[in-house]
Amino acid sequence: MLGGEAGVVRLVDAFYRHMDTRPDARGIRAMHEPDLASTRTVLVLYLCEWLGGPKQYTAQRGHPRLRMRHAGFAIGPAERDAWLACMGAALADVNAPPALQAELMAAFFKTADWMRNTAAA
Ligand code: HEM
């Protein structure tokens, strides 16, 4: 429904474009490397797998263990919400059908909320 792998690539490009430019994402942008190229590639692999596509993420990087992989970054409600704001804007940019946007945002909220490892805002 997102347009296959090309659609996921468009979504992830839009996501990091927002992370790069939104004032409310400055904090989470600073957690990432200056060059987002490799992170972008990994998120494409992850989302393709998570959305039911080929299991390339697991093949290349093993079990996602996302909470553990995020343990080194202080993630509280503000960081969660900034991540979700970038993804919400990206889904709108790629013109995902509204029902799909709502369904994906509900799922992303659960994952992002589960990643919280600090109460600090
Ligand atoms: C809640 C707020 C979040 C913050 C602040 C955050 C931040 C980060 C950071 C700083 C990295 C490391 C990037 C790098 O190594 O270059 C990362 C990696 C990653 N994040 Fe997040 N993230 C968040 C939520 C999410 C969510 C909700 C998902 C999935 C839906 C996700 C999926 C990933 C994946 C797949 C990786 C790469 C893991 C790997 O190295 O294999 N993140 N994230």
Side-chain angles (χ1 to χ4, degrees):
M1 285 179 81
L2 273 175
E5 186 183 353
V8 176
V9 169
R10 275 194 299 276
L11 176 67
V12 170
D13 281 349
F15 172 74
Y16 285 116
R17 207 163 49 238
H18 285 290
M19 194 190 283
D20 238 355
T21 51
R22 287 177 69 104
D24 60 351
R26 233 173 251 147
I28 63 170
R29 176 62 184 90
M31 295 176 183
H32 292 76
E33 296 291 327
D35 181 355
L36 291 168
S38 66
T39 309
R40 193 181 284 126
T41 306
V42 175
L43 190 59
V44 168
L45 292 178
Y46 175 82
L47 289 179
C48 281
E49 179 166 333
W50 180 74
L51 289 162
K55 299 198 183 309
Q56 283 302 312
Y57 176 91
T58 299
Q60 294 185 28
R61 301 190 64 80
H63 190 284
R65 292 172 302 163
L66 281 190
R67 197 175 145 79
M68 192 212 74
R69 290 193 204 259
H70 288 78
F73 309 105
I75 300 179
E79 290 73 23
R80 173 200 65 196
D81 292 347
W83 194 100
L84 291 168
C86 294
M87 187 52 85
L91 282 165
D93 279 0
V94 301
N95 294 316
L100 180 63
Q101 293 193 32
E103 188 184 334
L104 290 177
M105 285 306 287
F108 284 136
F109 178 87
K110 282 190 195 163
T111 312
D113 194 50
W114 171 70
M115 229 77 95
R116 275 189 301 112
N117 52 27
T118 167

